[in-house]
C-alpha cells in the first residue's frame, strides 16, 4: 500500500501540473484557500474518526499538508526556473520563482526604485520579472508596443482589482471598455470641459487666497495640493464641497481613501493578495479603509443623484447613462466602478503632479522666472491661452518626465502570437509592464536624461532622442481621458501662484531632498514632505 505521505506528494504535483499551471487564479484565490481548508478538515476528521486521537490526527494532517504543499511549490519553482518559456530573459531568479519576492522588495512602497535597480542590473528587457509570465520593458518603444495603434494586447489581471465593479479602467473586456470609455469621453469632451472651467477657476482662487494667508510661512505643499485636487474633483465631479481648503484639514473619508491606496504600494505586483484580503479580512487593517473608500465613493454618487442642478458636472453623464439603461444590478456595479475611478483618478493623480511640479519650481527658480515672464499679459484664468506658452508646457512636461504621477503602473498581456519589440520576441500570454519612472530617464530616449531642461520640449528638440518614451498619460485607446482637465488645472494653479510669488524651499529643507528620498509608489506617486515658502513679488 502507498504511504499517505507519498499520496500527498503526488497530489501536490498533480495539482500543479493539471490545475494551477493553466489559466489565471487571482479571482479564484479565496475559493482555492477555502477548498484546501475544507479538504484539510476532512482529512483531520477522517483520521479522528478512524480512532486517531485529537493530537495524532492534527500531527498527521499537518504532515500531509506539508507534503502536499512542498511538492506543489517545488513543482512550481522547478517549472518556472527550468522549463518556462521566459527562462531566457535575464532577471533575479527569486523573482522568477514567486511573486512574493517582488512584493517583499516593494514592502516600503518603493516599487519605482526596485525596478530602476533591476534596469541598471539587467538592461532593456529588464528581467523575467516577478512571477512566471511577466517581463518589464525598459525601452522607449514600450508604450507604443503596449497600447499603440493596432496592438492586440489585453489588460492584465491588475485591472480586476475592483471586480465585480466595472469601469472604463477596471475592465479587461475590450467591448465593455469601448462602451464605458465613450461615456467618459463625452463627460470630458472639450465642450463639457468648458462647463467645468468656472468651477476649477473658483478653486484656484481659493487656493491662491490660502497661500496669501500664510504670508511667507512654510507651507506643506503636499497637503495643500491634495486639498486643492480633492476639492476641485468634488466640485467638477459631484458638485460637492469636500471643504478641505476651507477647513485646512483632511476630510476623514479622504484620509481613509489615501490609507486604503497605500495597500497598492507593496501589493500591486500581486493583485491576488489584496483580493484575498478583501475576501477574508474585510473589517481589519487597511482593508477596512478600502471598503470605506468604496462606500464613500458610492455615497458621493448617491448624494449627487438626489440633486437637480442647472450646470452639468461629470456625474451628470454617468447618471444619464445609468438611467437610460435602467437600474439593473450590472449597471449598478458599473456606476459604482466608474464613480470610484472618478474619485481616485480625478484627484490622486493631479495632487502629486502639482506637488512635484512645485518642488521643481523651487529647485530651479530660473525656470519659474521664465514662466513668470511668459505669463505677463496672458489671461491667467484661461487654460487655452496658458496651453500656448512653451516654457510653462516644457516645465510641466519635464516634471512629468522625471517624476511622473504614475511611476510604474500599467500592464498588459501579449496576444497569443506574441509580439516583437526592437528585434526581441516576447512570447504570447506574457504580462508586460513599462515603468515611467525609469523610461523617463533612459539614455536611449534623452540627452542628459537626469537634468531638468524644459527647453528640450520646444527650442532644444535634439535633447529628445525618442519621443515615444514620454507617455505620462498613456497612449492609444486606454490613455487618460482626464488629461486635458488635469493639464488645465495644473496650468491654472501654476500661473496663479507664479504670478504672485517667488517659490522657495523653507529654511532647513536642504533643497527639498525629502521629496524624492521619501517618495512612495502607491499606484500614484506620494512625494516626500515638501515645505515651501511663497514669497510675495510685491
Ligand atoms: C496629472 C494627472 C493625471 C495623470 C498623470 C493621469 C494618468 C493616467 C494614465 C497613465 C492612465 C492610463 C492607465 C493605464 O494604462 O491603465 C490614465 C487613465 C485614466 N485616467 Fe488619468 N491621469 C490624470 C488625471 C486624470 C483625471 C483628472 C481624470 C478624470 C477626471 C482621469 C481619468 C482617467 C480615466 C477614466 C482613465 C482610464 C481610461 C480608459 O480606461 O480608457 N485621469 N490616467
Amino acid at each position: 500500500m502507498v504511504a499517505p505521505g507519498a499520496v500527498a506528494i503526488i497530489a501536490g504535483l498533480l495539482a500543479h501540473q493539471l490545475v494551477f499551471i493553466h489559466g489565471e487564479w487571482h479571482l479564484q484565490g479565496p475559493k482555492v484557500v477555502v477548498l484546501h481548508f475544507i479538504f484539510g478538515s476532512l482529512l483531520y476528521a477522517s483520521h479522528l474518526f478512524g480512532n486517531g486521537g485529537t493530537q495524532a490526527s492534527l500531527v498527521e494532517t499537518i504532515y500531509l499538508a506539508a507534503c502536499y504543499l512542498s511538492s506543489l511549490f517545488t513543482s512550481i519553482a522547478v517549472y518556472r526556473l527550468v522549463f518556462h518559456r521566459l527562462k531566457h530573459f535575464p532577471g533575479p531568479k527569486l523573482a522568477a520563482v514567486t511573486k512574493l519576492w517582488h512584493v517583499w522588495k516593494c514592502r516600503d512602497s518603493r516599487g519605482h526604485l526596485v525596478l530602476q535597480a533591476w534596469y541598471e542590473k539587467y538592461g532593456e528587457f529588464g528581467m523575467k520579472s516577478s512571477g512566471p509570465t511577466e517581463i518589464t520593458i525598459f525601452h522607449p518603444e514600450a508604450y507604443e508596443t503596449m497600447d499603440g495603434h493596432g496592438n492586440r494586447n489585453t489588460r492584465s489581471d491588475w485591472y480586476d482589482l475592483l471586480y465585480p465593479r466595472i469601469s472604463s479602467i477596471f475592465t479587461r473586456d475590450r467591448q465593455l471598455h469601448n462602451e464605458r470609455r465613450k461615456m467618459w469621453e463625452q463627460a470630458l469632451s472639450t465642450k463639457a470641459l468648458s462647463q467645468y472651467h468656472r468651477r476649477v477657476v473658483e478653486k484656484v482662487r481659493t487656493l491662491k487666497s490660502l497661500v496669501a494667508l500664510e504670508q511667507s510661512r512654510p507651507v506643506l505643499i503636499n497637503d495643500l495640493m491634495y486639498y486643492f485636487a480633492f476639492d476641485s474633483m468634488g466640485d467638477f465631479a459631484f458638485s460637492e464641497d469636500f471643504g478641505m481648503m476651507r477647513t485646512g484639514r483632511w476630510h476623514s473619508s479622504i484620509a481613509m481613501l489615501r490609507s486604503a491606496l497605500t495597500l497598492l504600494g507593496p501589493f500591486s505586483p500581486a493583485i491576488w493578495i489584496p483580493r484575498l484580503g478583501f475576501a477574508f479580512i474585510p473589517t481589519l487593517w487597511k482593508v477596512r479603509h478600502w471598503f470605506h473608500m468604496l462606500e464613500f465613493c458610492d455615497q458621493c454618487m448617491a448624494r449627487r443623484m438626489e440633486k437637480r442642478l442647472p450646470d452639468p458636472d461629470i456625474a451628470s453623464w454617468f447618471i444619464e447613462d445609468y438611467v437610460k439603461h435602467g437600474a439593473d444590478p450590472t449597471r449598478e456595479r458599473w456606476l459604482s466602478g466608474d464613480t470610484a475611478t472618478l474619485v481616485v483618478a480625478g484627484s490622486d493623480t493631479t495632487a502629486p503632479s502639482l506637488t512635484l511640479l512645485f518642488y521643481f519650481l523651487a529647485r530651479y527658480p530660473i525656470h519659474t522666472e521664465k514662466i513668470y515672464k511668459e505669463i505677463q499679459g496672458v489671461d491667467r484664468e484661461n487654460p487655452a491661452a496658458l496651453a500656448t506658452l512653451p516654457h510653462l508646457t516644457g516645465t510641466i512636461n519635464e516634471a512629468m518626465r522625471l517624476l511622473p504621477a504614475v511611476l510604474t503602473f500599467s500592464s498588459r498581456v501579449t496576444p497569443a502570437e506574441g509580439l516583437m519589440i526592437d528585434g526581441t520576441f516576447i512570447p504570447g500570454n506574457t504580462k508586460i509592464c513599462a515603468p515611467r519612472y525609469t523610461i523617463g530617464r533612459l539614455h536611449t530616449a534623452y540627452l542628459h536624461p537626469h537634468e531638468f531642461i524644459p527647453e528640450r520640449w520646444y527650442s532644444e528638440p535634439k535633447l529628445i532622442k525618442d519621443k515615444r518614451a514620454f507617455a505620462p498619460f498613456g497612449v492609444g485607446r486606454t490613455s487618460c481621458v482626464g488629461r486635458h482637465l488635469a493639464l488645465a488645472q495644473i496650468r491654472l494653479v501654476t500661473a496663479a501662484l507664479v504670478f504672485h510669488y517667488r517659490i522657495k524651499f523653507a529654511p532647513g529643507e536642504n533643497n527639498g531632498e525629502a521629496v524624492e528620498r521619501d517618495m512612495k509608489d502607491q499606484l500614484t506617486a506620494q512625494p516626500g514632505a515638501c515645505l515651501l515658502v511663497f514669497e510675495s513679488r510685491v
Side-chain angles (χ1 to χ4, degrees), residues 155 159 168 177 181 345 349 353 410 412 436 472-473 480-481:
R155 281 172 163 166
Y159 294 83
S168 178
H177 170 251
R181 187 167 170 104
T349 46
S353 298
S410 289
R412 306 285 179 257
R436 287 179 182 78
F473 294 97
C480 180
V481 271

Side-chain angles (χ1 to χ4, degrees), residues 101-226:
W101 192 76
H102 193 178
V103 170
W104 172 250
K105 287 279 169 192
C106 295
R107 64 194 178 282
D108 58 356
S109 296
R110 306 293 168 94
H112 59 301
L113 298 183
V114 172
L115 294 179
Q116 175 71 20
W118 285 350
Y119 164 69
E120 281 159 19
K121 192 159 177 199
Y122 298 106
E124 276 177 10
F125 296 97
M127 62 209 159
K128 179 175 184 255
S129 174
S130 49
T133 55
E134 186 173 309
I135 289 178
T136 300
I137 305 168
F138 305 102
H139 193 286
E141 208 181 300
Y143 304 113
E144 281 300 320
T145 306
M146 281 167 74
D147 292 318
H149 183 68
N151 83 84
R152 292 186 8 90
N153 300 318
T154 49
R155 281 172 163 166
S156 73
D157 56 350
W158 191 94
Y159 294 83
D160 279 331
L161 180 66
L162 285 194
Y163 189 85
R165 285 176 172 83
I166 298 285
S167 83
S168 178
I169 198 161
F170 289 109
T171 177
R172 302 171 72 191
D173 179 316
R174 270 189 183 230
Q175 211 179 330
L176 203 51
H177 170 251
N178 287 342
E179 187 188 319
R180 301 319 290 156
R181 187 167 170 104
K182 237 179 244 158
M183 181 196 68
W184 275 90
E185 280 171 347
Q186 286 171 341
L188 289 157
S189 67
T190 317
K191 186 164 163 236
L193 285 190
S194 67
Q195 291 169 320
Y196 317 141
H197 175 224
R198 178 190 54 76
R199 299 168 186 258
V200 175
V201 166
E202 208 47 57
K203 295 296 175 202
V204 176
R205 287 183 190 156
T206 311
L207 176 73
K208 218 166 63 179
S209 58
L210 268 185
V211 171
L213 277 178
E214 293 303 329
Q215 295 180 337
S216 298
R217 282 191 294 265
V219 175
L220 184 60
I221 198 77
N222 314 55
D223 280 3
L224 193 66
M225 292 310 180
Y226 259 98

